[in-house]
Amino acid sequence: MNVDTIMTYREGEFFEVPQPAWFYRAREVAMLEDRDLHSVLSRILRCCRRTEGVQEPGEHTAAFAYWVVPDNGGYYAEFWTEWDIVSRVWIPLETDWLPFRTQHAMPFLQAHASLAIVNHLKRKERMVSSEASTSATNNGLPPWLGAAKSQRQANRASAGGEAR
């Protein structure tokens, strides 16, 4: 992708076009004022960023963020992972917004949600397996020995015998 172009989605296809004036202006202001591009975009486009995502406690694992471009300019969208922006896309026609969301944004989020579930289950499995492999209880005896010893003592007490 060239620095002066932006990925565009129209009628089911992606292609690069020259950056629209609002995007060029936002990049320019962000550099001049040493601010992040997202806050400047919100100010230039006069709308708040909307974000949908898969979230772990405290951070987004993956997200789809978008802004509404005023004056029938469509939408500007970004795909994020926890490491970086994966893709930036301008959807200039309102009629392309729903197909774009259903064919690209939702599958992106669903794939990352599946990965988050798998990672969560793996963490739980590791925690359970590390607890199960603990070799001693609080009294220093292996868990299986303490239970067996307690059972033998309970059997002797109920039979009237004494512990040796």
Side-chain angles (χ1 to χ4, degrees):
M1 185 165 122
N2 187 333
V3 123
D4 296 326
T5 62
I6 190 168
M7 186 63 62
T8 303
Y9 180 84
R10 275 195 190 163
E11 298 175 358
E13 299 203 20
F14 290 94
F15 51 93
E16 289 186 39
V17 298
Q19 290 178 358
W22 54 264
F23 190 77
Y24 183 78
R25 178 72 180 140
R27 284 186 47 221
E28 186 179 66
V29 169
M31 285 190 296
L32 290 173
E33 295 181 4
D34 196 27
R35 297 186 55 201
D36 72 297
L37 180 62
H38 297 141
S39 65
V40 174
L41 269 169
S42 294
R43 191 174 82 201
I44 297 278
L45 296 175
R46 298 181 316 272
C47 76
C48 295
R49 172 185 76 211
R50 293 170 179 92
T51 305
E52 301 169 14
V54 179
Q55 191 171 358
E56 296 263 345
E59 64 184 58
H60 280 291
T61 303
F64 170 68
Y66 62 93
W67 291 259
V68 178
V69 180
D71 304 322
N72 294 323
Y75 294 84
Y76 170 71
E78 293 182 347
F79 294 89
W80 303 340
T81 66
E82 59 189 303
W83 298 284
D84 204 359
I85 296 171
V86 177
S87 183
R88 294 179 162 128
V89 183
W90 176 37
I91 304 93
L93 301 176
E94 187 82 28
T95 56
D96 287 328
W97 179 240
L98 185 58
F100 176 80
R101 282 182 56 90
T102 57
Q103 295 170 7
H104 301 287
M106 293 303 109
F108 172 81
L109 293 175
Q110 288 169 340
H112 282 279
S114 296
L115 289 172
I117 289 170
V118 168
N119 288 335
H120 176 75
L121 292 174
K122 283 183 179 179
R123 280 193 303 275
K124 290 284 190 189
E125 183 180 319
R126 280 194 298 267
M127 286 176 31
V128 168
S129 67
S130 70
E131 289 172 2
S133 65
T134 304
S135 59
T137 60
N138 291 340
N139 62 6
L141 297 173
W144 54 267
L145 180 61
K149 187 175 179 182
S150 298
Q151 186 61 39
R152 282 196 309 265
Q153 289 173 346
N155 290 342
R156 284 193 192 115
S158 67
E162 294 179 6
R164 295 184 190 177

